Amino acid sequence: QPCPWRPVGRDAELIRLVALGWSDRAIGRELILSSHTVSHHVGRLCRMLGLEAGEPGSAARRVQLAAWAGAHRMTDPSARSG
């Protein structure tokens, strides 16, 4: 299904890193955020993309976000936006 919103900038990078299997802590170090903030952003992005499975911070949300990223070709470093 078409995406009503295309993540760009930091949101796109966060999704890409989740899809590559990075932990909240590692993403936080890379993007200069706390791991709690990363977890919050993952939940926010899932809601914005209509991915509702799992509790906040759950593996199910990360898996869905990673699958979405793969389907929308966001895992390739050349796909970075910003």
Side-chain angles (χ1 to χ4, degrees), residues 66-78:
W68 184 92
H72 291 85
R73 302 180 185 270
M74 294 192 67
T75 55
D76 183 349
S78 66

Side-chain angles (χ1 to χ4, degrees), residues 20-68:
L20 293 174
W22 287 36
S23 69
D24 287 355
R25 188 176 201 173
I27 294 170
R29 280 193 302 261
E30 179 73 13
L31 301 181
I32 311 170
L33 300 168
S34 74
S35 59
H36 176 79
T37 300
V38 171
S39 179
H40 173 77
H41 283 304
V42 167
R44 178 183 58 82
L45 291 166
C46 285
R47 285 188 302 279
M48 290 178 78
L49 295 169
L51 309 173
E52 294 296 332
E55 296 295 317
S58 74
R61 282 191 174 195
R62 295 177 70 86
V63 168
Q64 281 199 342
L65 191 57
W68 184 92

